[in-house]
């Protein structure tokens, strides 16, 4: 995809996001597009609210109980009128974003294909009816038009209409009042002609269509004193190639009276070659009167006032605010408020800001800057940001404090803390329900804990055979806990003592560490939190948070981390059981598949197996090559499902095929016997299978299939066909099922391909399309080596990060004298 194609898609997404908001009265919108593996939808564009306010949801699994994912999966509109309906229908969303808002999510697609989803968000008080039917119809219309445009873009340019997880979304800020106006001009001093854009005409109080293009017309709008001094400077600059920087000029007010306002003019000579060698200037006129007047007015106030961008960055603070916060402008401006001021790093502060932005209602809170110095903050949101007010309190706060003004809610000191604690506990618990493996649990813990508490390092150690072993680490300092690796539980280290005592340890400085644990390694970390992970009274391990700078753990911090440790331990114990089951199933499956294919004169065989990447990753695909006295039997099969039961059933069927092949070489009889065996075993699973028996010293095989995708045959001239076999029912359906046999001619030099459906199935596409794509690949791939041919056929599958099903592939090259891998007749795996 080229830069131009990417830009065109970005324009389409931005236009749709803006149109959806403008037609509904909402204040924000977002567009998600499907990922390449179709497992997730990825944030592609956001309008009005930055992604940081969405709880970190830039990638949503398709299966998630989230409105956007539901709209994508179902193709239906999901309308949530207010927070109460959101909590009732989507409690996980309400846990992560417990604010007063409504939302409407719709699918984005065209021609029966879904590309993603679009959502709009608005402030909603309890009992709100949400969007009217007309406005919901508008959102669906915008999404449908976007889907059609994306489909046309793909057809024209090949843009896949997909997003990688690391995609940077298009962010469209909400509109805001303009404090500065800029007009551009070009001025020919010899002819007196002056070309200016519409904005420049507006600054000078001229109608764009009525401006005659003469510099004398503009000169009449300037203060005579400024004009007399400016004209010589302009001629000198044009003649000598100098620049005019920030020249202040007084322009007559638009009302036509005697008043003037001040503007700034910046100008320079064009680059050589851009225009003929004449006296010319190009530049800009800047009118910042509104912004300057606003700043001057705010600076006169005795209250501390500041402005935040939607993502919490400080864009302005008056002198009173800087004095109240005890910080300089350089330390504050451009940084996120709670990152710039350590004493505001309480997660509740960020939660209050997010609440104000998402619910679009004022919020307030109290904060302690020093042991006895309390400040009251109030936040007043608009779509383009937040205006904040900070005032000192003359006394320590009680459980609640009166509002700073009549339109502000009471500021609270105790309640927000409890709400913040519950929010983090619930959000981590909700996220852990999505984690399956131990690695996923650790990643969720890292994603949630480090931002919430300001840490930079996180490590998880688990107990194995009475010693500590590192399971996971994130952060810059790999060695910050090297001493804990391999340590026995009785070692005198904070990580082991926290676990054996069952109580967390909070170490706020290196001095505290060396005083209590002499010789303990510190690395480049200065503070630590050691959380014992204990599930059902069983020690699981220790979670360690590291801080690059000294960190004071408040009583609230300690309480929250202690509560979260229990959730982490339970999730990690569950994940370890899953990982153990996975290891057993994978070991069973690998043990049951052939490790080496037999060598058969005149026939070369090569097999490949790729496990799926979802769920247990354990399927029931199998293949086999069985030499017989009258030739060789080629088998491939697939048991439904992904579990240990599927792998065990696969083993039983493979044994059954070998047993029946030993007593009969008629494929239909072998398949019927295997079917009866599966029915008698009654595992609750069905299976498909394809069986071919190649006669010795003949150019013919006999094939039978039980609901399995048909084999492919590539002839010596390269022509490749899908074999038209008589199809029997799946194994395990009916005990008396019969399986018709089809003869197949195998010219010397031909290649036969048996495969399972994981190689040819794609979500939303007919399997025949995938089979034909594989046939084309087999026909055009190089055939110098059967191993190379197998790898080429699996090239795309290997590169995919997501495979919903296992893949088995068995290639057979038929022809007298075909060489084996070691140079002797025959073949190998």
């Amino acid at each position: 995809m080229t830069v131009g194609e990417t830009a065109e898609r970005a324009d389409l997404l931005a236009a749709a996001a803006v149109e959806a908001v403008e037609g509904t009265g909402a204040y924000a919108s977002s567009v998600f597009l499907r990922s390449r593996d179709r497992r997730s939808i990825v944030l592609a564009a956001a309008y009005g609210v930055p992604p940081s306010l969405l709880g970190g949801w830039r990638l949503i699994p398709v299966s998630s109980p989230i409105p956007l994912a539901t709209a994508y999966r179902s193709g239906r509109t999901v309308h949530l009128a207010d927070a109460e309906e959101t909590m009732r229908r989507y409690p996980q969303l309400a846990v992560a974003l417990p604010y007063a808002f409504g939302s409407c999510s719709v699918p984005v697609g065209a021609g029966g294909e879904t590309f993603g989803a679009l959502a709009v968000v608005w402030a909603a008080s309890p009992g709100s009816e949400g969007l009217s039917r007309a406005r919901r119809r508008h959102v669906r219309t915008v999404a449908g038009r976007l889907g059609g445009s994306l489909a046309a873009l793909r057809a024209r340019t090949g843009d896949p209409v997909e997003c990688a997880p690391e995609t940077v979304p298009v962010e469209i800020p909400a509109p805001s009042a303009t404090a500065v106006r800029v007009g551009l001009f070009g001025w020919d001093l010899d002819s007196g002609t002056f070309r200016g854009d519409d904005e420049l005409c507006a600054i000078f109080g001229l109608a764009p269509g009525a401006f005659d293009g003469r510099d004398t017309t503009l000169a009449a709008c300037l203060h005579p004193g400024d004009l007399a001094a400016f004209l010589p400077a302009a001629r000198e600059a044009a003649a000598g190639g100098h620049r005019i920087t920030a020249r202040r000029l007084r322009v007559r007010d638009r009302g036509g009276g005697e008043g003037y306002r001040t503007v700034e003019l910046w100008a320079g000579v064009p680059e050589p070659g851009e225009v003929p060698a004449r006296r010319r200037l190009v530049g800009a006129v800047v009118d910042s009167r509104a912004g300057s007047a606003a700043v001057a007015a705010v600076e006169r106030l005795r209250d501390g006032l500041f402005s935040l961008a939607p993502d919490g960055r400080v864009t302005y603070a008056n002198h009173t605010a800087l004095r109240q916060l005890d910080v300089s402008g350089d330390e504050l401006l451009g940084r996120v408020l709670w990152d710039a001021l350590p004493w505001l790093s309480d997660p509740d502060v960020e939660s209050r800001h997010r609440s104000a932005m998402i619910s679009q209602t004022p919020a307030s809170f109290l904060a302690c800057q020093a042991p006895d110095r309390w400040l009251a903050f109030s936040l007043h949101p608009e779509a383009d940001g937040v205006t904040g007010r900070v005032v000192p309190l003359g006394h320590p706060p009680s459980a609640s404090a009166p509002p700073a003004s009549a339109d502000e809610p009471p500021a609270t000191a105790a309640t927000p803390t409890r709400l913040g604690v519950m929010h983090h506990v619930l959000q981590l618990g909700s996220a852990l329900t999505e984690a399956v493996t131990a690695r996923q649990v650790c990643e969720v813990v890292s994603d949630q804990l480090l931002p919430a508490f300001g840490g930079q390092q996180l490590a998880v150690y688990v107990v194995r055979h009475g010693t500590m072993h590192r399971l996971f680490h994130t952060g810059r300092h790999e060695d910050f806990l090297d001493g804990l690796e391999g340590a026995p539980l009785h070692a005198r280290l904070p990580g082991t003592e926290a676990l054996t005592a069952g109580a967390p340890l909070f170490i706020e400085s290196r001095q505290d560490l060396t005083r209590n644990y002499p010789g303990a390694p510190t690395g480049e970390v200065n503070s630590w939190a050691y959380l014992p992970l204990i599930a059902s009274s069983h020690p699981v391990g220790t979670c360690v948070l590291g801080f690059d700078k000294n960190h004071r753990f408040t009583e609230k911090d300690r309480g929250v981390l202690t509560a979260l440790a229990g959730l982490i331990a339970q999730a990690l114990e569950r994940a370890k059981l899953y990982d153990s089951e996975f290891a057993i199933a994978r070991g069973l499956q690998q043990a049951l598949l052939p490790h080496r294919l037999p060598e058969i004169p005149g026939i070369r065989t090569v097999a490949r197996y790729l496990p799926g990447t979802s769920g247990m990753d354990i399927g029931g695909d199998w293949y086999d090559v069985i030499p017989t006295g009258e030739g060789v039997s080629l088998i491939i099969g697939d048991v439904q499902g992904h579990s240990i039961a599927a792998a065990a059933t696969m083993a039983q069927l493979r044994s059954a095929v070998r047993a029946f092949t030993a007593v009969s070489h008629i494929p239909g009889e072998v398949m019927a016997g295997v079917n009866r065996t599966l029915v008698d075993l009654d595992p609750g699973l069905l299976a498909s299978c394809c069986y071919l028996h190649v006669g010795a010293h003949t150019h013919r095989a006999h094939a039978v299939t039980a609901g399995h995708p048909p084999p492919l045959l590539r002839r010596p001239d390269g022509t490749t066909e899908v074999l038209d076999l008589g199809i029997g029912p799946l194994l395990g359906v009916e005990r008396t099922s019969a399986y018709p046999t089809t003869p197949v001619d195998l010219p010397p030099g031909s290649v036969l391909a048996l495969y399972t459906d994981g190689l040819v199935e794609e979500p939303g596409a007919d399997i025949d399309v995938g089979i034909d794509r594989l046939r084309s690949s087999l026909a055009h791939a190089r055939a110098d080596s059967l191993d190379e041919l197998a790898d080429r056929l699996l090239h795309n599958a290997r590169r995919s990060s997501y495979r919903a099903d296992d893949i088995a592939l068995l290639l057979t090259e038929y022809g007298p004298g075909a060489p084996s891998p070691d140079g002797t007749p025959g073949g190998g795996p």
Side-chain angles (χ1 to χ4, degrees):
M1 185 166 54
T2 68
V3 173
E5 292 160 9
T6 304
E8 185 174 354
R9 187 214 287 182
D11 290 343
L12 294 174
L13 298 175
V18 173
E19 186 180 2
V21 167
E22 292 180 345
T24 58
Y27 67 83
S29 64
S30 58
V31 182
F32 285 71
L33 294 181
R34 66 193 183 193
S35 62
R36 292 168 183 168
D37 58 17
R38 311 295 173 85
R39 296 179 65 185
S40 309
I41 50 176
V42 183
L43 181 63
Y47 172 62
V49 173
S52 60
L53 289 183
L54 302 178
W57 280 337
R58 295 177 64 160
L59 184 147
I60 301 176
V62 169
S63 58
S64 295
I66 301 297
L68 275 158
T70 302
Y72 174 79
R73 288 195 312 269
S74 66
R76 300 196 188 113
T77 298
V78 180
H79 178 255
L80 303 173
D82 58 9
E84 182 179 347
E85 185 177 6
T86 302
M87 174 61 78
R88 186 174 67 252
R89 295 175 56 188
Y90 292 91
Q92 187 172 5
L93 176 65
V95 165
L97 299 173
Y99 312 120
F101 70 94
S103 65
C104 181
S105 303
V106 298
V108 173
E113 183 180 5
T114 306
F115 301 132
L118 181 150
V120 295
V121 178
W122 61 90
S125 56
S128 170
E129 295 183 358
L131 297 184
S132 65
R133 289 188 177 182
R135 290 184 169 182
R136 278 179 264 172
R137 188 163 52 248
H138 171 77
V139 178
R140 289 194 295 268
T141 300
V142 170
R145 193 156 50 238
L146 174 61
S149 298
L150 292 175
L153 177 65
R154 181 177 63 180
R156 189 176 71 256
T157 68
D159 187 321
V161 195
E162 296 169 347
C163 279
E166 63 274 10
T167 297
V168 177
V170 179
E171 292 191 48
I172 309 102
S176 59
T178 300
V180 178
R181 307 184 70 177
V182 179
L184 305 179
F185 67 85
W187 184 12
D188 187 327
L189 278 73
D190 289 335
S191 65
T193 57
F194 198 103
R195 298 192 312 275
D197 62 7
D198 291 350
E199 194 70 17
L200 183 131
C201 292
I203 291 173
F204 279 83
L206 302 172
F211 177 47
D212 58 10
R214 305 299 302 172
D215 54 12
T216 53
T217 303
L218 292 178
C221 301
L222 297 178
H223 187 283
D226 291 346
L227 179 62
F230 172 69
L231 288 177
R235 295 189 184 99
E236 180 183 353
H242 305 309
R243 294 179 60 83
I244 300 176
T245 58
R247 184 65 177 251
R248 295 194 173 189
L249 302 172
R250 284 170 287 181
V251 177
R252 191 181 303 277
D253 272 338
R254 298 178 183 86
E258 297 300 322
Y260 289 88
R261 66 186 188 284
T262 301
V263 300
E264 289 185 356
L265 184 143
W266 301 66
V269 177
E271 291 294 328
E274 290 187 6
V275 294
R278 301 180 61 176
R279 294 190 306 160
R280 293 175 181 266
L281 291 175
V282 294
V285 174
V286 180
D287 183 0
S288 58
R289 182 181 62 163
S292 300
V295 170
V298 171
E299 290 294 344
R300 297 186 193 105
L301 295 177
R302 295 187 177 182
D303 288 349
L305 295 177
F306 58 90
S307 177
L308 303 180
D311 61 0
R313 286 178 298 104
V314 182
T315 57
Y316 171 76
N318 67 358
H319 290 301
T320 303
L322 295 175
R323 186 171 60 254
Q324 297 284 11
L325 301 176
D326 192 22
V327 67
S328 69
D330 291 340
E331 294 173 303
L332 187 63
L333 297 180
R335 299 184 60 192
V336 175
L337 178 65
W338 44 91
D339 288 342
L341 304 174
W343 50 277
L344 283 182
S345 61
D346 189 319
D348 293 331
V349 174
E350 182 179 358
S351 179
R352 289 287 178 175
H353 171 262
R354 183 181 288 114
S355 172
M357 282 300 302
I358 293 180
S359 64
Q360 288 291 291
T361 56
S364 60
F365 60 91
L366 304 179
C368 185
Q369 184 182 22
D372 58 354
R373 186 168 188 270
W374 287 82
L375 298 172
F377 289 79
S378 57
L379 306 177
H380 300 265
E382 284 292 341
D384 61 337
V386 170
T387 295
R389 180 169 175 256
V390 54
V391 295
L393 292 180
H395 52 81
S398 58
S400 64
S405 64
D407 62 343
E408 296 173 14
T412 58
T415 302
T417 298
R418 292 195 293 271
L419 290 175
V421 170
M422 290 303 299
H423 172 69
H424 284 294
V425 171
L426 292 174
Q427 189 166 3
L428 178 62
S430 177
L432 286 175
T433 62
E434 302 287 334
V436 177
T437 68
R439 176 78 184 185
Q440 291 171 344
V441 168
C442 293
E443 289 174 347
V444 166
V445 172
S446 173
D447 292 342
Q448 295 290 332
L449 290 194
L450 291 182
F453 295 93
Q456 290 76 41
Q457 321 291 323
L458 185 139
V460 176
Y461 284 79
V462 294
V463 179
R464 295 178 190 159
H465 309 297
T467 58
M468 305 292 287
H469 296 276
R470 189 169 71 184
L471 177 66
F472 176 85
H473 170 261
T474 184
R476 292 182 296 131
H477 311 312
E478 287 283 347
D479 59 346
F480 88 111
L481 286 175
D482 280 350
L484 193 54
E485 179 65 29
L489 291 183
H490 59 75
R492 193 172 186 280
L493 292 169
T496 53
E497 289 196 353
L499 181 58
T500 54
L505 287 176
F506 300 97
I507 301 175
E508 298 183 344
S509 69
R510 293 192 183 193
Q511 291 77 11
D512 291 344
L513 179 69
T514 55
R515 181 171 57 251
N516 295 305
Y517 299 93
T522 62
E524 298 183 47
V525 177
N526 285 277
S527 296
W528 299 260
Y530 292 88
L531 309 179
L533 305 180
I534 300 174
S536 303
S537 301
H538 171 69
V540 177
T542 302
C543 177
V544 188
L545 272 71
F547 299 80
D548 289 351
K549 298 181 179 179
N550 285 4
H551 181 85
R552 189 174 76 86
F553 296 96
T554 65
E555 288 300 318
K556 190 201 69 174
D557 288 343
R558 297 170 186 245
V560 174
L561 288 170
T562 301
L564 295 180
L567 291 177
I568 297 167
Q570 294 289 343
L572 191 58
E573 184 73 355
R574 183 190 70 240
K576 288 174 61 181
L577 293 175
Y578 174 92
D579 289 341
S580 298
E581 183 178 354
F582 168 82
I584 293 171
R586 174 56 58 83
L588 172 65
Q589 186 179 48
Q590 291 179 342
L592 294 174
L593 289 173
H595 290 191
R596 180 175 174 82
L597 300 180
E599 297 180 358
I600 303 167
I603 291 179
R604 168 103 191 274
T605 55
V606 166
R608 296 287 187 271
Y609 178 83
L610 293 180
T613 60
S614 65
M616 280 293 295
D617 292 351
I618 300 299
D621 293 20
W622 91 93
Y623 56 85
D624 211 345
V625 177
I626 307 173
T628 68
E630 300 180 8
V632 62
S633 295
L634 309 172
I635 306 102
I636 198 160
D638 183 3
V639 178
Q640 70 174 169
H642 297 81
S643 63
I644 291 179
T649 301
M650 173 268 285
Q652 293 169 318
L653 289 183
R654 182 174 177 236
S655 298
V657 170
R658 282 186 164 266
F660 283 104
T661 299
V663 298
S664 175
H665 304 313
I666 301 175
E669 293 180 359
V670 173
M671 195 68 73
V674 174
N675 175 64
R676 291 192 300 271
T677 301
L678 184 58
V679 172
D680 292 341
L681 290 172
D682 191 23
L685 299 173
L686 303 178
S688 68
C689 186
C690 185
Y691 180 104
L692 286 90
H693 184 264
V694 182
H697 311 297
T698 69
H699 298 164
R700 172 162 290 200
H702 290 83
V704 63
T705 180
H708 198 84
L712 305 178
L713 179 65
R714 187 172 83 172
R715 302 185 182 279
D717 61 359
T719 58
T720 304
E721 63 178 309
V722 180
L723 296 182
D724 186 13
L725 305 183
I727 301 176
L730 289 168
L731 300 175
V733 176
E734 176 62 45
R735 197 173 193 279
T736 59
S737 296
Y739 297 89
T741 301
T742 304
V744 178
D745 290 330
L746 298 175
S750 58
V751 176
L752 186 69
L754 304 182
Y755 54 92
T756 55
D757 55 8
L759 184 58
V760 292
E761 277 190 330
E762 292 185 6
D766 190 88
I767 191 172
D768 290 338
V769 176
I771 293 174
D772 187 66
R773 186 180 295 113
L774 180 63
R775 179 202 61 78
S776 178
S777 298
L778 179 61
H780 296 96
R782 292 176 54 190
D784 297 343
S785 161
L786 203 60
D787 283 287
E788 182 183 351
L789 178 60
D791 291 336
R792 286 181 178 274
L793 294 180
L794 293 179
H795 176 71
N796 290 336
R798 288 185 191 275
R799 293 180 59 190
S800 174
S801 61
Y802 174 71
R803 291 187 296 274
D805 201 356
D806 296 8
I807 295 173
L809 174 67
L810 178 63
L811 296 182
T812 302
E813 186 177 17
Y814 178 76
S820 66
D822 57 6
T824 62

